[in-house]
Amino acid sequence: MCGRYALTSAPEAIRKLFGYADTPNFPPRYNIAPTQPIAIVASERGEAGPAPRFRLARWGFVPGFVKDPRDFPLIINARAETVADKASFRNAMKRRRCLVPADAYYEWLKLSLGGRIQRKPYLFRRVDGAPMGLAGLWETYAGADGAEIDTACILTTDANGATAAIHDRMPAILEPKDFAHWLDCDNVRAEEAAGLLKPAPDDALEFFEISPQINKATNDGAQLQERLAPTLL
């Protein structure tokens, strides 16, 4: 799963990569956690036709049929293999696909040492240092009082041959050339869009162990991404 990630690139660099016209200003965030507001890019109809649009959403997808989110599990990820078929995601996969800008994501390696389970955090990022577009879904939840909130989740797929050493899943990372295709819910069917959801090439990402400071959601700052010296497993 993908339970923490970072968005640290300058706002202008993200705007240029994802092609939206908005000019939001946001600070670097090194430890984005579930239930927090996250940046997403979705297609929105305008006078000139559909275009990518920056928006904020709560990281924790709430399907439209849910009456009370307090009685519904927190959904931060959805499996790419079943997302087009499951009732919770079927409509969003057809009509509300989005991209989640990220510069890195984190996973934990589980180890059994002396009968105790230890979890070592690792940072994953593109080898070329470029930001990533993670495939996602979004949905607007309307409460009984009429209040609305946009919610979102990140889609995951099998790990590639390299990252499987740390975790068996990884976020579905889309290439920039596929951004428009993924967001085009008017002309690209869900089944066709699902064909983009696959593991990244084995040589696309680098990853290394980082400090357990990342475990605490209130910790933030570039120091969280400092590489630890290799340890014996």
Side-chain angles (χ1 to χ4, degrees):
M1 63 180 294
C2 175
R4 297 283 179 86
Y5 73 96
L7 178 59
T8 55
S9 289
E12 177 58 25
I14 297 298
R15 187 195 67 79
K16 183 177 180 180
L17 176 63
F18 289 89
Y20 51 80
D22 319 60
T23 55
N25 187 24
F26 47 85
R29 297 172 64 193
Y30 293 86
N31 194 6
I32 300 172
T35 73
Q36 293 179 355
I38 63 172
I40 66 171
V41 179
S43 181
E44 186 169 296
R45 290 181 179 86
E47 294 182 0
R53 176 76 185 272
F54 176 97
R55 62 199 306 160
L56 292 176
R58 171 186 178 268
W59 189 11
F61 184 87
V62 181
F65 60 76
V66 172
K67 291 182 169 50
D68 189 343
R70 293 173 298 183
D71 298 328
F72 196 78
L74 181 66
I75 299 176
I76 61 171
N77 296 147
R79 295 177 69 90
E81 298 87 343
T82 58
V83 72
D85 301 319
K86 286 197 171 184
S88 294
F89 311 112
R90 190 182 303 123
N91 288 336
M93 186 63 182
K94 291 178 181 178
R95 296 296 179 191
R96 286 173 293 280
R97 299 190 294 267
C98 68
L99 293 163
V100 179
D103 286 282
Y105 70 93
Y106 309 106
E107 292 288 7
W108 282 257
L109 173 64
K110 291 184 180 181
L111 299 170
S112 179
L113 300 174
R116 298 179 59 186
I117 300 296
Q118 293 189 12
R119 300 170 76 243
K120 293 179 177 291
Y122 281 73
L123 177 149
F124 296 75
R125 64 189 180 195
R126 287 184 62 106
V127 170
D128 61 12
M132 299 177 286
L134 311 183
L137 301 176
W138 70 280
E139 183 76 80
T140 300
Y141 171 74
D145 60 355
E148 294 185 344
I149 181 173
D150 290 340
T151 67
C153 65
I154 294 171
L155 303 185
T156 67
T157 186
D158 287 332
N160 63 26
T163 63
I166 307 301
H167 199 278
D168 62 352
R169 304 290 293 178
M170 70 185 305
I173 303 170
L174 302 186
E175 291 298 321
K177 64 181 178 61
D178 295 321
F179 286 179
H181 198 67
W182 172 255
L183 294 179
D184 188 357
C185 297
D186 289 335
N187 300 299
V188 179
R189 295 183 301 120
E191 295 77 10
E192 183 181 352
L196 299 173
L197 306 176
K198 53 191 176 183
D202 290 352
D203 60 353
L205 303 179
E206 65 172 352
F207 54 95
F208 49 84
E209 186 179 352
I210 58 173
S211 167
Q213 292 181 60
I214 196 70
N215 297 344
K216 189 174 182 180
T218 54
N219 288 339
D220 203 353
Q223 78 281 357
L224 298 179
Q225 297 188 340
E226 294 178 359
R227 185 191 302 256
L228 288 189
T231 58
L232 295 178
L233 302 181

